[in-house]
Amino acid sequence: MMVAPVTPKSWYLPSKPHKFCPGCGHGIVLKALGEAIDDLQIQDKTVFGCDIGCSLLSWDFFACDSTQTHHGRTTPVMVGIKRSRPELITIGYMGDGGGYSIGSQHLLNAAVRNEKVTLILVNNTNYGMTGGQMAPTTLPGQKTETSPYGRDPEETGYPTKGPEFLAEVTPEGAYIARATVSKYNQLRRFVRNALRNQIDGNGFSFVEVLSTCPTNWRTNAQQTWRFLEDEMEQYFPVGELKSPFGKGGAK
Amino acid sequence: MRNVIEGSKKAFITGNEAVAWATLVAEADIMFGYPITPQNEVMHYWTRLAPKHGRGFLQTEDEISAGFTVCGAVQAGKKAFTATAGPGNVLMQEPFGMAEAMRLPLVAIIQQRGGPSSGTVIYSQQEVTLTTFGGNGEGHRVVYSTATHQEMYDYTIKAFNTAWKYRFPTFVLGDGYQAKMREPLDMYNPADKGIKMVKPYPLVGLDGQIGENREPQHLNNIYSLEEELYDAVLEFVKDYEAMTPDVTEYSADQCEDADIIILSHGVVSRAADDAVKILRSQGIKAGSFRPITLRPFPSQELRNVISNSNAKTLLIAESAYGQLDRLVKQEIYGETVNIENLFMPGVGIIDYDIANKVKSIL
Amino acid sequence: MSLVKIALAGEGGQGVQSVAEIIAEAAYNEKKQTIYIPNFGLEQRGGVSIAFIQVSDERIGAPKFNKADVVVALSARAIGRTNIYSDENTLFVYDQGFKVNEDEFPKEAKKIIGIPAIDKANQELHPRVFNVIIMGAVIGLTNVVSFEAAKDALENKLGHKFEKNPNLRELNYKALEIGLQLAEESLKEGVAK
């Protein structure tokens, strides 16, 4: 007998089953986010913004007010909402392309200004929706549609380490972390901390989440997990890089 | 909101300052902007006045962000605006497009400068095409082209009402001359003139409890199927056409017995009015027509003026190379009146420029 | 041959576009005029996937058309999406394995044909070659290309996979043949609904 999974209250059931590919990490991230929203009881005052790319498939994912923006422009739209209605909890959801490439200008400056928004960036080392092109976080040697012979760092630089540079440029009060879909409880904890940081009015909060894309990686289940855990997590260290909360985490 | 201006105030100020005061009395909540000449002073005045009246401001990292932060703020139900020019206007076409697609009451003041590219920081009428039909949409926007400081003030107030009533991005199209010159105007509270300001309302962050007394709002600007987009665009067309008679504005002077009609917009229309006076004093029967809204363009009104007039010729005068000319021709297709041009891209036009051109034609 | 218009529709990931490409390629190799245009939604997997193929001896005009000669729906959802391309001259084909909503069938069709392609794939071959069975069926129903040309085009596209695993070649060719048979049977019997 099929048992329906327990879904967060803040999920919008009419849009399920969702449109992400089998094996995609987005479903896991959005579940952690949904559980955090429920736990913090902010469903009614959350505004959720998504980028263009696979993240756009989350535009009707939550039973929260949501707005789909342009590629790379989720950050400024969330900033505009937060600056004009500070009582709302703004969550910007984007991929590694939207955040570290076309949207990097906005991400960097929002961080420097310590904007009180929460941004969640799902890093699967490629541009998924457009068919698997190279992204800022593509690993050296990794083959993609626009690096068919493997990424050459001499030509195209090394993968962007977003949380590391954001931790450098943000003032006190910011929360910067990197999580992975392979460690769900930690992911949920980091996302909850990031939201808590906004609720408490401390400052900018950002969580990069290492995630999977078997469709464009062209990997089977085993290969997918291996790439995530053995390669990505080695290159991009997981943990909290900056946090106003102590060891116990946010309350 | 307490009254920004006590009673009516006569002022001798720049256009940029007039705009800043107008946005204040129009109850704008927040401005997002980025420096670019010749509109910087709008920000300078706003940043000084806004805190005294509890309004917000953010200088963003570029114009793209300025446009998108405005989009966010209006979605959240606050009256937000921005100002820009030239290359900044080019960058803002991306967020303006989102405002068209999502029917956001965005207000932007454009102070045209020379183009293309960096052009000059001084003046032009070369952002007509961009402001009326920029971006990758169908130009479902309202564009007011002002000629005097009084109009910059009046139409900035009106722009907020037009935007929040009809939900098309609304522009006040000025230029570098209007931005920087000083001339007298009367500043007032809209209520004192019987103007009711439309109240803003949110599209996200609504009151109430989701699931109990309201549904979650899901806003988007992308569709999966061609047919969905087609339906959406045709809805915009329907609303735009319904709005057109209420919003269209123009003025016409002495066209009925004219032999030639001078057609111009914005600050050039002042020179056109003077040219008509000069020509008439010399026995030449000239008239003038001025679209005040470039979008929606007063096409039927212009057609009526043409058919009720003696004139066999229209002289289109602009500080650009054909942007107004193209707009007019598309709007009055089928009219057989002869069309002549006075194109002075990026250069100010004076009454004698127009009068001499008229004489050379007739 | 006069213009033949084919619409194939299914879920993203089923191989609708791959099949369309192979058919178009085969037609091109037989020196016919052919146009193939994909139409899809945003997702990489799932979502709408429709392919429009036209084959003719004469130059072909617009890439899209109003009504098809053959429509093949590879998923239950695709039936509702493609019924608009069917008129009284259209062969409307779907898989008998679907749970179908009767309302979604086209109001007008020359014949509505159910073929057991999914069952054949699952039981006799492999679920992965379901789309190749469909390809065989399309060719059987329209004769836009010869069996040989189809096999060659299939080899072209999938040859590198066949090198690694020669069984796949067998499997795919078998699938093609089965598709052809299904088409023949359905035309004879006039199997409807």
Side-chain angles (χ1 to χ4, degrees):
Chain A
M1 186 194 73
M2 280 256 286
V3 178
V6 175
T7 53
K9 174 172 174 285
S10 54
W11 273 23
Y12 186 62
L13 293 182
S15 62
K16 309 295 175 284
H18 63 59
K19 301 181 189 66
F20 297 103
C21 297
C24 171
H26 270 293
I28 299 174
V29 181
L30 293 167
K31 179 153 193 208
L33 183 52
E35 291 185 343
I37 290 173
D38 285 356
D39 184 48
L40 294 166
Q41 298 183 314
I42 51 173
Q43 181 185 1
D44 291 328
K45 48 184 193 163
T46 291
V47 179
F48 176 81
C50 60
D51 204 273
I52 294 282
C54 293
S55 69
L56 92 78
L57 300 175
S58 64
W59 76 282
D60 59 352
F61 198 96
F62 289 104
C64 303
D65 291 344
S66 309
T67 179
Q68 173 238 314
T69 72
H70 284 196
H71 190 34
R73 316 301 181 202
T74 309
T75 302
V77 173
M78 293 299 113
V79 166
I81 293 173
K82 186 73 182 184
R83 285 255 175 176
S84 56
R85 301 261 315 268
E87 75 277 15
L88 298 175
I89 301 300
T90 51
I91 305 175
Y93 193 70
M94 66 195 76
D96 36 282
Y100 296 148
S101 195
I102 186 171
S104 60
Q105 153 85 316
H106 307 306
L107 179 61
L108 174 68
N109 281 279
V112 166
R113 293 193 303 258
N114 214 13
E115 297 284 352
K116 298 182 176 52
V117 298
T118 301
L119 304 178
I120 302 190
L121 186 149
V122 178
N123 174 8
N124 61 9
T125 71
N126 81 108
Y127 283 76
M129 180 169 274
T130 44
Q133 294 80 19
M134 192 180 95
T137 50
T138 300
L139 297 184
Q142 186 179 345
K143 294 192 174 145
T144 67
E145 287 302 300
T146 48
S147 61
Y149 306 110
R151 178 178 192 165
D152 177 3
E154 289 294 302
E155 279 283 307
T156 60
Y158 287 88
T160 300
K161 287 186 161 171
E164 283 77 359
F165 80 65
L166 292 175
E168 280 299 312
V169 301
T170 42
E172 289 310 302
Y175 176 86
I176 313 285
R178 183 188 279 112
T180 169
V181 297
S182 69
K183 297 186 174 64
Y184 181 77
N185 288 334
Q186 180 191 61
L187 163 62
R188 185 177 49 192
R189 185 157 44 91
F190 288 179
V191 166
R192 191 188 179 283
N193 288 349
L195 289 171
R196 186 82 246 170
N197 205 49
Q198 181 179 164
I199 295 168
D200 291 351
N202 294 335
F204 181 76
S205 41
F206 178 87
V207 182
E208 176 186 303
V209 186
L210 302 179
S211 179
T212 52
C213 181
T215 300
N216 288 307
W217 292 353
R218 306 191 201 289
T219 48
N220 62 28
Q222 259 182 348
Q223 294 163 338
T224 300
W225 283 104
R226 213 178 309 132
F227 187 70
L228 172 68
E229 294 184 299
D230 297 347
E231 306 222 22
M232 286 173 69
E233 290 176 20
Q234 296 317 305
Y235 203 92
F236 301 112
V238 168
E240 291 174 311
L241 287 82
K242 190 178 206 142
S243 173
F245 314 113
K247 272 251 158 161
K251 295 291 158 267
Chain B
M1 271 193 196
R2 62 165 218 270
N3 272 349
V4 173
I5 296 178
E6 295 310 318
S8 180
K9 193 157 96 171
K10 253 189 150 36
F12 181 68
I13 55 178
T14 62
N16 280 340
E17 187 174 357
V19 164
W21 282 104
T23 55
L24 261 181
V25 305
E27 298 173 359
D29 293 298
I30 188 164
M31 176 188 187
F32 296 94
Y34 188 79
I36 188 162
T37 311
Q39 57 81 47
N40 296 314
E41 292 79 9
V42 176
M43 287 196 299
H44 300 175
Y45 286 106
W46 178 267
T47 47
R48 283 155 179 72
L49 294 169
K52 302 185 188 163
H53 299 275
R55 320 293 176 87
F57 174 77
L58 178 67
Q59 181 175 313
T60 54
E61 59 276 12
D62 59 22
E63 284 92 346
I64 297 174
S65 182
F68 279 106
T69 42
V70 170
C71 287
V74 304
Q75 286 181 48
K78 292 291 178 180
K79 288 198 198 177
F81 72 100
T82 186
T84 192
N89 194 1
V90 174
L91 289 178
M92 287 211 192
Q93 294 308 315
E94 198 198 327
F96 294 160
M98 186 164 110
E100 280 187 53
M102 299 172 91
R103 299 292 299 278
L104 304 180
L106 172 151
V107 172
I109 293 92
I110 312 290
Q111 303 286 37
Q112 299 170 92
R113 52 184 270 168
S117 178
S118 317
T120 67
V121 299
I122 305 167
Y123 159 84
S124 82
Q125 293 191 318
Q126 293 171 290
E127 296 173 42
V128 166
T129 306
L130 194 57
T131 308
T132 55
F133 284 99
N136 61 335
E138 306 289 359
H140 288 132
R141 315 169 164 197
V142 176
V143 180
Y144 295 109
S145 176
T146 56
T148 65
H149 284 12
Q150 190 63 60
E151 286 185 357
M152 288 229 88
Y153 189 85
D154 297 343
Y155 282 98
T156 296
I157 293 171
K158 185 177 283 192
F160 282 96
N161 276 351
T162 301
W164 283 92
K165 182 169 178 193
Y166 298 105
R167 294 187 39 206
F168 293 103
T170 305
F171 299 85
V172 178
L173 185 67
D175 57 65
Y177 286 170
Q178 292 181 69
K180 300 278 189 177
M181 74 191 191
R182 282 174 192 271
E183 78 173 359
L185 76 151
D186 286 321
M187 303 206 292
Y188 53 85
N189 284 308
D192 293 344
K193 296 231 165 168
I195 299 171
K196 209 160 174 289
M197 295 311 296
V198 175
K199 289 270 162 269
Y201 53 88
L203 302 174
V204 292
L206 275 56
D207 287 332
Q209 280 133 318
I210 295 170
E212 308 280 320
N213 48 36
R214 77 168 180 95
E215 289 298 298
Q217 307 297 298
H218 296 126
L219 309 181
N220 67 327
N221 53 62
I222 190 169
Y223 304 96
S224 277
L225 300 174
E226 294 173 331
E227 291 80 10
E228 289 172 331
L229 176 70
Y230 179 84
D231 291 340
V233 173
L234 259 55
E235 269 299 303
F236 301 157
V237 170
K238 196 171 116 215
D239 290 346
Y240 194 82
E241 288 178 354
M243 165 199 78
T244 294
D246 295 338
V247 163
T248 305
E249 291 189 39
Y250 76 102
S251 71
D253 176 45
Q254 297 179 80
C255 291
E256 296 82 10
D257 70 334
D259 289 321
I260 185 168
I261 295 175
I262 303 160
L263 199 159
S264 62
H265 78 103
V267 83
V268 175
S269 67
R270 297 164 72 140
D273 289 341
D274 289 350
V276 166
K277 289 200 185 81
I278 292 169
L279 291 164
R280 289 262 172 187
S281 76
Q282 293 172 1
I284 297 175
K285 297 210 189 108
S288 70
F289 182 94
R290 171 198 170 200
I292 297 175
T293 50
L294 294 182
R295 287 288 285 159
F297 192 89
S299 4
Q300 193 51 55
E301 292 80 351
L302 178 54
R303 287 181 193 270
N304 292 344
V305 161
I306 290 170
S307 61
N308 292 336
S309 166
N310 266 343
K312 303 280 180 292
T313 304
L314 282 186
L315 169 62
I316 297 183
E318 55 176 320
S319 295
Y321 206 89
Q323 297 195 22
L324 179 65
D325 180 74
R326 264 199 307 276
L327 189 60
V328 168
K329 283 171 176 164
Q330 99 190 2
E331 296 288 341
I332 62 167
Y333 174 73
E335 299 294 331
T336 53
V337 66
N338 178 40
I339 297 182
E340 298 284 336
N341 300 124
L342 176 61
F343 291 156
M344 296 176 64
V347 175
I349 298 180
I350 64 170
D351 44 12
Y352 278 98
D353 292 327
I354 298 178
N356 289 340
K357 180 72 186 184
V358 166
K359 287 190 215 162
S360 76
I361 294 168
L362 290 178
Chain C
M1 60 179 291
S2 58
L3 181 63
V4 179
K5 296 170 285 178
I6 304 167
L8 288 177
E11 307 292 310
Q14 279 188 305
V16 167
Q17 306 301 337
S18 302
V19 164
E21 261 176 54
I22 295 172
I23 294 176
E25 177 94 24
Y28 170 71
N29 289 335
E30 290 196 314
K31 308 254 184 288
K32 300 189 174 126
Q33 295 284 332
T34 177
I35 289 188
Y36 145 64
I37 186 166
N39 206 331
F40 35 68
L42 300 164
E43 312 91 314
Q44 283 286 302
R45 287 287 178 275
V48 184
S49 185
I50 310 183
F52 299 97
I53 308 162
Q54 298 182 73
V55 181
S56 171
D57 285 331
E58 308 279 311
R59 171 197 161 280
I60 300 167
K64 278 183 74 174
F65 45 77
N66 267 346
K67 303 294 175 192
D69 296 302
V70 174
V71 174
V72 183
L74 281 80
S75 70
R77 260 204 306 194
I79 296 177
R81 284 206 185 102
T82 50
N83 58 21
I84 49 170
Y85 299 113
S86 177
D87 67 8
E88 69 271 10
N89 294 318
T90 308
L91 288 177
F92 192 92
V93 183
Y94 70 103
D95 192 289
Q96 282 176 331
F98 303 156
K99 264 246 290 285
V100 171
N101 180 354
E102 300 273 307
D103 296 336
E104 300 209 308
F105 280 120
K107 303 284 177 283
E108 283 193 329
K110 183 152 142 203
K111 241 186 214 170
I112 298 182
I113 302 174
I115 56 175
I118 289 183
D119 281 344
K120 289 273 177 184
N122 286 340
Q123 284 156 23
E124 296 179 28
L125 297 169
H126 188 283
R128 267 259 171 89
V129 295
F130 162 61
N131 64 342
V132 179
I133 295 180
I134 294 289
M135 187 166 105
V138 168
I139 294 170
L141 290 169
T142 59
N143 284 316
V144 281
V145 293
S146 68
F147 185 67
E148 286 311 307
K151 268 171 66 180
D152 286 343
L154 197 58
E155 181 72 39
N156 250 341
K157 187 143 165 104
L158 299 179
H160 61 284
K161 289 205 177 138
F162 295 168
E163 294 306 306
K164 291 200 190 130
N165 183 357
N167 291 337
L168 287 179
R169 187 180 279 121
E170 267 297 310
L171 191 62
N172 276 278
Y173 287 172
K174 198 111 217 331
L176 207 52
E177 276 171 26
I178 286 185
L180 275 177
Q181 278 166 24
L182 289 178
E184 274 171 31
E185 282 162 21
S186 70
L187 283 178
K188 267 187 241 151
E189 298 166 20
V191 176
K193 294 223 185 173

